[in-house]
Amino acid sequence: MNEQEILSRLTATLEARKQAAPETSYVAKLFHKGEDAILKKVGEEATEVILASKEGDAQHLVYEVADLWFHSLVLLAHHGLNADAVLNELARREGVSGIAEKAARPNQP
């Protein structure tokens, strides 16, 4: 199974969960609670990634990054976006200096 298939299935599942009853699904419950609950989960997962990295346990780090990516996908879905939007942005940036790319963004300090 390739990465694109995984992301496509996950995107479809997340879209379906938007319409599901909160008591039937963890993701449906997050969508029902709204953006603040989703943001809280993204923040918690980001913190857990940092802690796992500091522990030096590679498998734990992979587990926590998977959680962070998942909750980031939930956040994107909340905003009507999906992984393709992020992948397209990464493709746009490929081969461009990070310094130059950031300087070209609108409203950058």
Side-chain angles (χ1 to χ4, degrees), residues 13-33:
T13 299
L14 292 175
E15 283 304 312
R17 295 300 189 265
K18 283 182 176 181
Q19 308 308 318
E23 56 276 353
T24 64
S25 156
Y26 167 75
V27 173
K29 186 184 294 185
L30 274 178
F31 282 133
H32 181 75
K33 288 181 177 180

Side-chain angles (χ1 to χ4, degrees), residues 2-56:
N2 70 37
E3 298 86 4
Q4 193 60 41
E5 289 173 1
I6 293 167
L7 290 173
S8 292
R9 282 200 330 271
L10 212 57
T11 296
T13 299
L14 292 175
E15 283 304 312
R17 295 300 189 265
K18 283 182 176 181
Q19 308 308 318
E23 56 276 353
T24 64
S25 156
Y26 167 75
V27 173
K29 186 184 294 185
L30 274 178
F31 282 133
H32 181 75
K33 288 181 177 180
E35 185 175 33
D36 285 348
I38 298 167
L39 291 170
K40 181 178 178 187
K41 282 305 296 180
V42 170
E44 288 172 4
E45 299 303 341
T47 299
E48 290 173 7
V49 165
I50 293 166
L51 295 173
S53 179
K54 296 297 273 181
E55 286 176 5

Side-chain angles (χ1 to χ4, degrees), residues 24-92:
T24 64
S25 156
Y26 167 75
V27 173
K29 186 184 294 185
L30 274 178
F31 282 133
H32 181 75
K33 288 181 177 180
E35 185 175 33
D36 285 348
I38 298 167
L39 291 170
K40 181 178 178 187
K41 282 305 296 180
V42 170
E44 288 172 4
E45 299 303 341
T47 299
E48 290 173 7
V49 165
I50 293 166
L51 295 173
S53 179
K54 296 297 273 181
E55 286 176 5
D57 180 339
Q59 187 56 46
H60 187 205
L61 178 59
V62 168
Y63 178 87
E64 295 300 345
V65 169
D67 281 352
L68 177 58
W69 284 13
F70 177 81
H71 287 90
S72 295
L73 290 171
V74 171
L75 179 62
L76 287 170
H78 173 75
H79 287 281
L81 300 166
N82 60 38
D84 287 341
V86 176
L87 293 172
N88 290 337
E89 177 60 16
L90 289 173
R92 184 191 69 78

